[in-house]
Amino acid sequence: MKLPYAEPFRIKMVEEIRQSTKEEREEWLKNAKYNLFNLKSSQVYIDLLTDSGTGAMSDQQWGALMTGDESYAGSKSFEQLHQTVQKITGYKYLLPTHQGRAAENVLFSVLVKDGDVIPGNSHFDTTKGHIEIRKAHAIDCTVDEAFDIEDPHPFKGNINLEKLEEVYKAHPKEKIPFCLITITCNSSGGQPVSLENMKAVKELSDRYGIPIYFDSARFAENAYFIKMREKGQENRTIKEIAKEAFSYGVGMTMSSKKDGLVNIGGFIALNDAEIFKKASNFTIIFEGFITYGGMAGRDMAALAVGLNEATEFEYLESRISQVEYLGNKLIKFGIPVQKPIGGHAVFIDSLQFLPNIPREEYPAQTLANEIYKEAGIRTVEIGTLLADRDPETRINRYPKLELVRLAIPRRTYTNNHMDYIAVAIKNVYDRRNEIQKGYNIVWESEILRHFTVELEKA
C-alpha cells in the first residue's frame, strides 16, 4: 500500500486561539465600521486576512535570529543575505527595506515620473498606489483567461503580448520606464506566470527598449507551478527555475513576508549600477543605511535562511497542497472559486456567490463580513474597495472579478482548520439568498482606501 502524504515538518510550539460567539462577532464588526482590518487579532479565530508576515518560522530561522549582526553599516547579516539573494536571483546589488511596499517606494522614486505608464499583469494594491500617487498610470495586460474563473488555463498570471504591444505602440519609450511582472499574480487569484511567457515578454520589450522588473513576493510559489505545469520544466529544481525567471528582468522588488518566510522585511535587487546608486539615496532617506534599510540584522539573518527554505520543493509541495486542499473542499460544496487554485490563497467569486448584492454595495466586502460573522474567520476583499476610485474622475473602478481572498499563512494552520473554513463558507452559501443588502461607504481615504474605509449597512 502506498503511504499517504505527510507534512515535511513537525510542530514544536503552539499558540492558543479562542472561538467567540456570533453575538460577540456582530458587535465587534459593527464597532470596526464593518472593515475587517479594524478588528483586533483576539477577535479572530482563523486569520486569513493575509499570508504576509503571518507564517511560522523554522527552528533554523529562529537560530539565525540569535546570530544576527546589528552593526549599523557593513553587517555580517547583510552579507549573508546579499550572498543568498545573488545566488537565487543572479542580481548583483541588494538594498534591504522594511517590507515590500517600502521597496516599491524606493525603486519607484527613481523610475516613475508624472505621466508615465507602467504595463503589467494586474498590479497589486500598493503597487498601483505607488504608481498613481506619482501621477502615473498602471495598465493591466493580463490574459483574458484570468477573468473567467472556470477556465482551466494553467498560467492565468501571463501577460497578453498583444495588449502589451498596444501599450508600447501607444506611448513614447521615455514614458514607459519598465514593464512589471508580478509572480505569482495576486490580483488574478494567486496565478502563476510561465517561463515561456516571461521570455516572450522580454523579447517583445527588448524590441521597444523597455526593461522588465519583477514584483517577486511569491516567486518561489510561481517556480513551483512552472515545475508542475510547464512542459520541459519537471526535472529542474525550484532554484534553477527561479534563477532563469529573474534572468529575463533587470531587477526586482520583494516583500520578504511571503516567500522569504519571515515576519517583516523586504528588498530591492538590481543589476544596474546607476539605478542602484540612485535608489541607495532614497533608501537612506526613507529606510536607513544601505546595508540594513529598515531591517534588524537578526531579521536579515532569518531571511537569508528563509529564502533557501522557501525554494525547496518539499516545503512548497506542503504549502501549496494545503491551499489546494481547501480549494477542492470548496469546489465540492459548489462554491464558485478561481480555478485552478492559486499558490497562496483561494479566491471566491462574490458576484456568483451573492448575486443579489449590487456592485455599488460591495458584494465581496459583504461576503467577507458574512464569513466572519458565521465563524470568526477573517478574510479580505479583492474587489471594488481595493480597486479604489479613478484618481482623475473619482468614480469607483469596478474590476472584472469581485473576489474574497482566503490567504493561508505558511506552516501555521492544520487541515482540520481548512475543514472548519470550508464548512463555515458552505453555511454562508446555503443562506446566500437571505443576504439582500450590502454596505455604503461612510468615510474613505483618497488612496488605498480598503485598509481604513468605514462602512455602514445599506
Side-chain angles (χ1 to χ4, degrees), residues 15 38 59 72 78 96 137 164 177 185 189 225 244 255 259 266 283 292 298 311 328 334 346 351 357 365 377 390 394:
E15 175 186 2
N38 290 334
D59 56 348
Y72 186 94
F78 170 80
H137 303 276
L164 182 61
C185 187
F225 283 123
E244 180 181 338
S255 172
D259 278 353
T283 298
Y292 76 91
R298 56 185 174 270
T311 48
N328 288 335
V346 180
L351 296 180
I357 306 298
Q365 184 67 23
I377 301 163
D390 183 283
R394 303 306 300 162

Side-chain angles (χ1 to χ4, degrees), residues 15-22 24-25 28 41-46 372 375-377 420:
E15 175 186 2
E16 184 178 356
I17 53 177
R18 173 187 171 269
Q19 178 61 287
S20 55
T21 67
K22 188 172 184 179
E24 285 177 320
R25 294 193 293 273
W28 291 335
S41 64
S42 60
Q43 297 169 339
V44 176
Y45 184 54
I46 298 178
Y372 174 72
I377 301 163
Y420 177 91

Side-chain angles (χ1 to χ4, degrees), residues 25-274:
R25 294 193 293 273
E26 288 178 341
E27 183 66 21
W28 291 335
L29 190 59
K30 180 181 178 182
N31 293 338
K33 308 293 185 184
Y34 301 102
N35 181 350
L36 296 166
F37 282 96
N38 290 334
L39 292 171
K40 298 176 183 178
S41 64
S42 60
Q43 297 169 339
V44 176
Y45 184 54
I46 298 178
D47 204 342
L48 311 182
L49 183 74
T50 181
D51 61 318
S52 181
T54 57
M57 293 201 301
S58 70
D59 56 348
Q60 296 299 307
Q61 287 181 286
W62 281 105
L65 285 174
M66 302 305 295
T67 64
D69 177 2
E70 306 302 338
S71 299
Y72 186 94
S75 163
K76 177 182 69 176
S77 298
F78 170 80
E79 289 303 317
Q80 292 170 342
L81 179 58
H82 193 185
Q83 289 169 11
T84 301
V85 171
Q86 279 186 319
K87 183 178 179 182
I88 290 173
T89 69
Y91 296 143
K92 298 176 185 176
Y93 305 107
L94 175 70
L95 289 169
T97 61
H98 77 272
Q99 62 182 69
R101 69 192 63 175
E104 292 172 339
N105 188 37
V106 169
L107 185 63
F108 292 5
S109 293
V110 176
L111 298 178
V112 181
K113 305 293 187 293
D114 189 341
D116 284 350
V117 296
I118 293 87
N121 55 335
S122 296
H123 313 66
F124 196 56
D125 57 350
T126 62
T127 312
K128 186 182 289 184
H130 279 299
I131 291 169
E132 292 182 346
I133 204 169
R134 290 169 171 84
K135 301 186 185 304
H137 303 276
I139 301 179
D140 189 353
C141 298
T142 312
V143 294
D144 291 336
E145 291 89 341
F147 306 108
D148 178 357
I149 68 167
E150 297 298 332
D151 194 305
H153 193 294
F155 292 101
K156 285 184 172 180
N158 280 359
I159 288 178
N160 182 298
L161 298 177
E162 292 181 1
K163 292 181 185 178
L164 182 61
E165 189 161 22
E166 286 177 10
V167 176
Y168 288 168
K169 288 179 176 179
H171 302 275
K173 173 185 171 182
E174 58 270 18
K175 285 296 182 182
I176 312 174
F178 57 92
C179 173
L180 185 68
I181 303 178
T182 303
I183 49 176
T184 56
C185 187
N186 191 352
S187 296
S188 67
Q191 298 294 310
V193 181
S194 69
L195 278 179
E196 180 183 32
N197 187 248
M198 293 181 208
K199 185 177 181 180
V201 170
K202 176 175 170 52
E203 290 172 352
L204 175 61
S205 301
D206 283 351
R207 294 207 303 270
Y208 288 87
I210 308 297
I212 293 170
Y213 284 83
F214 288 97
D215 176 344
S216 312
R218 300 174 180 88
F219 77 95
E221 293 175 7
N222 198 91
Y224 174 88
F225 283 123
I226 289 171
K227 180 178 176 67
M228 301 303 289
R229 296 179 182 176
E230 191 165 353
K231 186 177 179 181
Q233 303 301 322
E234 57 274 6
N235 294 321
R236 301 180 72 192
T237 68
I238 299 298
K239 287 182 171 67
E240 288 170 342
I241 293 169
K243 195 161 189 178
E244 180 181 338
F246 288 124
S247 75
Y248 298 125
V250 297
M252 61 180 281
T253 60
M254 176 76 184
S255 172
S256 303
K257 298 162 71 176
K258 285 85 168 177
D259 278 353
L261 302 182
V262 290
N263 305 121
I264 197 68
F267 60 84
I268 302 163
L270 302 160
N271 268 339
D272 189 300
E274 282 303 308

